[in-house]
Amino acid sequence: MAMIKCPECGQEIDELVESCPECGYPVKKERLKEERKQQHIEEVNAYRNKQERERSERERAKEEKRKTIEYRLRKIQTGLVLCSIICGIIAGIFFYKGYNVKNVYHNSDTYYSSNQNAYVGGDAYNYIINGTYFAGYMAAGGACALSCVFLGVGATYISIKEMEREKEWH
């Protein structure tokens, strides 16, 4: 059996009694008041904990959404930068090939292995063919160069938007 002290006279009494045998103080009512008070405190704390958990879950969901958006934007930005670099390299190759076809020409009648950008026997025909190749390589190189620029601008735009979003969220 557990013993408690009477709040009125301080006498030790059994916790199950309704009133103190010495002074008649209603211990059961006091105990019920304390239990109700404790129960109310526990309910308030549980409510506050629930609110805090919900708030932290909302914050966590918001943070996850922000990280997901950042991850996707970085992935897209990385892809754009990579494609821009590849298009720049291809543009350089096409420009090199175009200038090579235009500026490097040698047609030998005796040694075919020393021919450079020579396809048929006559020089005029080879110049016409090389001019056509030059135009084609330059057009392809220009298209790749424009693609390189547009992809780079897209990556820069995403970077700027990402910085604006970071300022907005912080």
Side-chain angles (χ1 to χ4, degrees):
M1 269 192 209
M3 301 296 280
I4 59 170
K5 284 192 176 190
C6 175
E8 189 70 28
C9 65
Q11 176 74 26
E12 285 198 8
I13 55 174
D14 183 15
E15 72 174 352
L16 298 176
V17 296
E18 292 187 20
S19 61
C20 177
E22 286 293 316
C23 66
Y25 185 79
V27 179
K28 187 173 185 179
K29 285 183 183 178
E30 187 68 28
R31 198 171 43 241
L32 286 175
K33 279 185 194 176
E34 280 298 317
E35 287 175 2
R36 284 187 194 134
K37 185 177 178 183
Q38 188 64 30
Q39 184 180 12
H40 178 70
I41 290 171
E42 288 174 1
E43 287 173 357
V44 168
N45 286 339
Y47 179 76
R48 286 180 183 163
N49 289 340
K50 180 182 173 187
Q51 293 289 15
E52 185 64 32
R53 274 194 313 271
E54 288 176 357
R55 187 177 314 117
S56 66
E57 286 175 10
R58 283 193 303 268
E59 290 294 322
R60 194 176 317 116
K62 185 178 177 182
E63 181 68 21
E64 284 180 22
K65 183 178 179 182
R66 184 179 67 81
K67 285 182 179 179
T68 302
I69 290 171
E70 285 178 3
Y71 173 74
R72 287 180 182 167
L73 284 176
R74 283 196 184 110
K75 197 171 179 181
I76 291 169
Q77 183 182 15
T78 303
L80 288 175
V81 168
L82 185 63
C83 288
S84 176
I85 291 171
I86 291 171
C87 284
I89 291 170
I90 293 172
I93 292 170
F94 278 131
F95 287 141
Y96 170 77
K97 289 285 286 175
Y99 281 107
N100 183 31
V101 166
K102 178 179 159 267
N103 295 329
V104 178
Y105 173 73
H106 177 69
N107 189 9
S108 173
D109 290 332
T110 55
Y111 299 107
Y112 293 112
S113 61
S114 67
N115 286 351
Q116 292 181 331
N117 297 321
Y119 312 101
V120 294
D123 286 338
Y125 294 124
N126 285 325
Y127 283 128
I128 292 169
I129 292 168
N130 285 338
T132 306
Y133 277 143
F134 173 76
Y137 284 134
M138 289 298 129
C144 286
L146 281 174
S147 297
C148 174
V149 169
F150 287 142
L151 292 169
V153 167
T156 305
Y157 178 77
I158 288 175
S159 178
I160 291 170
K161 285 297 181 183
E162 190 174 318
M163 284 189 279
E164 288 176 0
R165 185 173 279 123
E166 276 184 25
K167 286 180 185 176
E168 192 177 289
W169 281 344
H170 291 297

